[in-house]
Amino acid sequence: MLSKPVRWWRAAAAVAAGALPCLAFPALSLWWFAYVALVPWMMLLRSAPTGRRAALEGWLGGAGFILAVHHWLLPSLHVFLVPLAALLGLLWIPWALLVRELLGGDGARGRAGAALVLVPAAWLLPELARSWQGLGGPWGLLGASQWQVPPVLRLASVGGVWLVSLLVVAVNCAVVILIVAPAARVPAVAGLTGCAVLTGVVWLWVPRPEVSGGLRVAVVQPGLVADGPDSADRRFDAGERLTRDLAGQRPDLVVWGESSVGADLTARPDLARRLAALSAEVGAPLLVNVDARRAPAGTATATATATATAGGTGTAGTAGGSGAAGIYKSAVLVGPQGPTGARYDKMRLVPFGEYIPARALFGWATSVGKAAGEDRVPGDSPVVMDLPGRPDVRLGPLVCFESAFPDMSRHLAREGAGLLIAQSATSSFQHSWAPAQHASLAALRAAESGRPMVHATLTGISAVYGPSGERLGSALPTSASTAALYEVPLARGTTLYVRFGDWPVGAALAVLAVYCAAEGVRSLRTGKPAPEPTAPRARTARG
């Protein structure tokens, strides 16, 4: 029996081991480390003396992973991040039990071969569960650490970030087998070879996006604006000034970041007029982002009148918007005649940042962090916008952390979007890993969908990626206050991921279901549960 000091040592080791994969993500971006980052955690789990101990160490490791990958949330959530990590850490318990079951004991060849399939499949369970918006969304999926590796990005075009996560965990599993199970090195080497062959075949044989034409897209990043009662107006002024610098450069589209306009354009016709005049001056429509309480529907007439006075005939209509009163975050396309009527209301809101789940129960979070004082109103449907002057191009807007959701960009690509755009603001986390992590997600979404993606922010990091996930030009750092023009290649065709969706998830769930069914049948036939693997003898305080 383990002594108390040893139990505490193992508990601390589980938290630390679970946190290790965070080093593979931006800002450090040690992408290669992801392929061995799980090894210490898995070694600990396989040596757990009981299933209960493995479950505990799986929970603690999962909590450590969440804390490490999301540590930049501390200024916003404060102490609330700890119980949140503890809650999400529970999702790793089934994976931990399976690691002990298949990799514990003597590492028999048959179980090791099964582990190469079942352990990666089980890893997708917590990734899939926490991809639900209510649990924080799919931020920090293990496959996302490979955002800058071209051959792996090609895998994402086949099976999305899920296929990449499966590959990374499979390699970790094979490394563990090579270390602890000499008798099972043949299947381990076969597994590593299979991962390499799969990546090579996809790299050589899966068609690349077929480039067809291009688009000149300008990103406007105003930079930090000091908080104050007039901060929204000063941010608007900065965006307006930087956009004017684009006059004469012939952009096809100008993109502003999230919350770049702090008032509803129907309630502020003066802002609508200024945006319309700005669009006419640079010769391109503007995709701005309005973060404001929506004016009553009757005020739409004011904007139509104002833009007509400015020489246009535009209206302030909506596309896919919700009619409920409240504060919205909306991507709005503005042309020389004013708002074009194309608007997308953000659908998936950030828990605690933009709304508080079960506010009656968790409303106290506003007193210990920067939680939302009032819930934003979600939109009700995605929107694909026509780009004025370019009938061959349609825009697929997303807002902020919606770029973390593979299904949203896939849906927009299926609906005909030729350019994906994420408008974001991470100024609350300016000097943390958050801006780099957020910008990297656009590379995955571009590779998955075979469509270029623009990640435009207020304060950096802004970046643009081509249809294979490759970075175009230079990213705009958090220190920059500028407007930059990018030559963006457009692409035709459909990736396998867009066509077939999250098939790796379905395959993983099917494999786990077969395994559970087989174990259930075996237990019924023998009349007793499977024997627990014999773990290596643990040292006690007495030796």
Side-chain angles (χ1 to χ4, degrees):
M1 183 176 177
L2 287 175
S3 68
K4 190 172 182 179
V6 174
R7 289 202 299 269
W8 279 110
W9 177 88
R10 289 184 62 98
V15 175
L20 283 177
C22 78
L23 302 178
F25 292 88
L28 294 183
S29 291
L30 304 178
W31 62 266
W32 50 268
F33 183 65
Y35 294 94
V36 294
L38 297 178
V39 171
W41 190 7
M42 294 171 72
M43 295 281 285
L44 189 70
L45 293 172
R46 71 170 295 275
S47 68
T50 64
R52 179 178 296 181
R53 189 71 201 182
L56 174 63
E57 291 167 1
W59 171 44
L60 292 173
F65 177 82
I66 294 297
L67 283 171
V69 174
H70 297 81
H71 69 272
W72 45 269
L73 282 172
L74 279 170
S76 178
L77 294 183
H78 289 280
V79 69
F80 196 78
L81 182 60
V82 175
L84 181 62
L87 173 65
L88 294 177
L90 295 170
L91 298 173
W92 272 271
I93 289 178
W95 177 76
L97 293 172
L98 197 60
V99 169
R100 180 179 181 274
E101 171 69 23
L102 298 177
L103 296 178
D106 59 1
R109 183 172 301 182
R111 283 196 300 155
L116 289 169
V117 176
L118 292 167
V119 170
W123 179 269
L124 285 195
L125 293 179
E127 292 210 335
L128 183 64
R130 68 191 182 90
S131 293
W132 177 49
Q133 175 203 342
L135 290 180
W139 194 290
L141 301 184
L142 193 58
S145 66
Q146 306 301 295
W147 66 276
Q148 56 185 329
V149 186
V152 183
L153 286 174
R154 190 67 52 78
L155 280 176
S157 74
V158 174
V161 67
W162 314 109
L163 183 58
V164 181
S165 286
L166 287 172
L167 176 81
V168 172
V169 180
V171 172
N172 277 273
C173 189
V175 172
V176 171
I177 294 171
L178 287 174
I179 294 172
V180 304
R185 285 176 180 169
V186 171
V189 172
L192 289 173
T193 303
C195 290
V197 169
L198 172 64
T199 304
V201 168
V202 169
W203 175 256
L204 293 173
W205 296 104
V206 170
R208 290 169 169 79
E210 182 182 351
V211 175
S212 175
L215 200 67
R216 293 169 62 84
V217 180
V219 174
V220 175
Q221 181 177 298
L224 279 174
V225 173
D227 289 336
D230 62 341
S231 58
D233 290 335
R234 286 185 283 114
R235 186 179 299 113
F236 186 97
D237 294 342
E240 186 178 37
R241 172 178 50 80
L242 292 169
T243 303
R244 284 205 175 93
D245 294 340
L246 298 168
Q249 299 186 44
R250 297 180 295 106
D252 295 305
L253 175 67
V254 178
V255 183
W256 288 17
E258 179 187 12
S259 304
S260 49
V261 179
D264 184 25
L265 295 179
T266 59
R268 290 286 304 274
D270 58 316
L271 296 183
R273 286 195 299 268
R274 288 167 65 180
L275 290 171
L278 197 58
S279 174
E281 185 175 347
V282 300
L286 314 177
L287 186 68
V288 300
N289 189 274
V290 177
D291 182 0
R293 189 174 303 280
R294 185 150 305 163
T299 15
T301 310
T303 300
T305 303
T307 52
T309 304
T313 57
T315 65
T318 66
S322 172
I327 301 174
Y328 290 78
K329 287 192 174 181
S330 306
V332 179
L333 192 62
V334 181
Q337 285 76 44
T340 63
R343 187 188 77 225
Y344 165 67
D345 297 330
K346 183 178 182 181
M347 297 172 59
R348 296 183 182 173
L349 305 176
V350 180
F352 296 97
E354 294 170 336
Y355 79 102
I356 296 182
R359 182 175 284 272
L361 183 62
F362 297 116
W364 57 268
T366 59
S367 63
V368 297
K370 299 178 181 177
E374 177 181 350
D375 293 350
R376 267 51 177 174
V377 181
D380 51 23
S381 63
V383 173
V384 177
M385 302 177 178
D386 295 323
L387 179 61
R390 289 295 301 266
D392 60 322
V393 181
R394 304 184 74 199
L395 310 177
L398 299 167
V399 182
C400 194
F401 96 137
E402 289 182 329
S403 66
F405 292 86
D407 65 300
M408 297 194 73
S409 52
R410 174 176 175 258
H411 177 85
L412 292 171
R414 287 176 64 90
E415 293 299 312
L419 176 67
L420 302 176
I421 300 172
Q423 296 173 298
S424 174
T426 52
S427 54
S428 298
F429 315 103
Q430 189 73 355
H431 303 294
S432 72
W433 292 8
Q437 287 184 12
H438 202 176
S440 71
L441 295 174
L444 267 297
R445 304 293 86 84
E448 290 168 342
S449 63
R451 297 292 181 264
M453 186 161 188
V454 174
H455 179 78
T457 72
L458 291 180
T459 60
I461 296 173
S462 297
V464 180
Y465 299 92
S468 294
E470 73 281 14
R471 178 177 284 172
L472 303 176
S474 299
L476 303 182
T478 54
S479 59
S481 174
T482 187
L485 188 64
Y486 296 86
E487 298 284 349
V488 180
L490 301 175
R492 293 186 299 184
T494 304
T495 65
L496 292 175
Y497 177 68
V498 169
R499 190 177 307 167
F500 298 111
D502 300 327
W503 64 266
V505 174
L509 294 177
V511 165
L512 291 171
V514 170
Y515 171 74
C516 291
E519 286 295 293
V521 170
R522 191 198 57 76
S523 295
L524 288 174
R525 286 179 176 176
T526 61
K528 58 182 179 180
E532 289 200 345
T534 304
R537 185 176 182 271
R539 294 182 179 179
T540 67
R542 300 188 180 93

